[in-house]
Amino acid sequence: ELYETPMKSPLDCLFGGVCCCISAAKQRHELLVITGEPYICCAGLCQAGPCGEPQPEIPCLLLEVFLCPQMALSANRFFVQSRFGLMNTATDNTLMAATAWIAMCANYAACFMEMKYCCRDCFQIDLDGPCLEIQLPVREMFVLADLAFLCLNGCMYAQQQVEIDGMQRGRYNGPPQAVLQALPPNLQACMGGAPQQLMMS
């Protein structure tokens, strides 16, 4: 469960939340070593053009994690779940949805305030009514959304790292066949080329 990870792996949770770019790169590299697969942008979530094909891990992984850290962490989650046959719990989905909802509220508040000032300043329309007197704490809402995402990043990283550490101590036998058949053909080809059994140190 995501909410349990701060107590079970506090250092991983802190590392994943504060250093999300570095932690996402470290985690993806470990996943590629375990599975023996080549690097694919966003773990194959983006299938457009060269993004769906194998690329050099350096510098492409670094570009991914520093330009799109949230996408990189989500891609790592997809990688862990699709290769190890795992899935989110209902609590995990609820925490992710709540974080997205907080960000959505902040964006709607910013949009409302911009429209209010745009009508007055750009179009010289001075609308009356109690709605226009509302002052929303937009900056504080964005800070809250950022904190929620950092907490979620830390929890996701720690939860995924527990699974990776367990796989490194055991044996990787390839992804479950049901999951493999549901993936796009070019991703199946990359995964099919990976060794089916690796001894982990």
Side-chain angles (χ1 to χ4, degrees):
E1 300 280 351
L2 274 176
Y3 70 89
E4 294 174 345
T5 54
M7 285 76 75
K8 290 183 176 178
S9 299
L11 293 179
D12 280 337
C13 198
L14 184 65
F15 179 53
V18 176
C19 305
C20 55
C21 298
I22 297 168
S23 63
K26 172 192 168 291
Q27 200 167 68
R28 180 74 57 79
H29 177 72
E30 289 176 354
L31 287 166
L32 295 175
V33 169
I34 289 171
T35 61
E37 294 179 33
Y39 169 81
I40 297 177
C41 182
C42 296
L45 288 176
C46 302
Q47 291 291 310
C51 291
E53 300 170 3
Q55 301 293 334
E57 186 176 343
I58 303 295
C60 295
L61 177 58
L62 298 177
L63 288 171
E64 177 188 332
V65 298
F66 283 103
L67 295 177
C68 310
Q70 184 64 41
M71 182 68 177
L73 188 64
S74 296
N76 287 353
R77 189 169 192 80
F78 166 74
F79 202 113
V80 168
Q81 290 180 339
S82 61
R83 276 40 166 212
F84 305 156
L86 303 172
M87 53 191 295
N88 288 340
T89 65
T91 307
D92 295 349
N93 289 333
T94 302
L95 287 172
M96 290 178 203
T99 303
W101 184 82
I102 292 169
M104 181 189 69
C105 288
N107 284 315
Y108 281 149
C111 184
F112 173 78
M113 297 303 286
E114 288 297 322
M115 285 175 47
K116 181 172 108 170
Y117 296 126
C118 184
C119 286
R120 186 187 68 204
D121 298 338
C122 299
F123 301 110
Q124 305 301 316
I125 300 173
D126 196 11
L127 301 172
D128 293 328
C131 189
L132 294 180
E133 295 172 10
I134 296 174
Q135 292 296 324
L136 297 174
V138 175
R139 183 168 179 259
E140 291 80 3
M141 291 176 79
F142 274 113
V143 169
L144 179 63
D146 288 343
L147 288 174
F149 268 110
L150 289 176
C151 290
L152 180 67
N153 285 352
C155 291
M156 283 175 60
Y157 172 81
Q159 188 184 47
Q160 292 159 198
Q161 196 60 43
V162 167
E163 297 297 335
I164 292 168
D165 292 344
M167 196 56 64
Q168 286 175 330
R169 288 189 299 270
R171 180 189 299 258
Y172 176 66
N173 295 316
Q177 287 302 311
V179 173
L180 185 63
Q181 292 170 359
L183 296 172
N186 59 336
L187 199 52
Q188 287 182 27
C190 290
M191 292 167 68
Q196 289 301 302
Q197 292 190 350
L198 294 174
M199 292 299 291
M200 297 298 134
S201 56

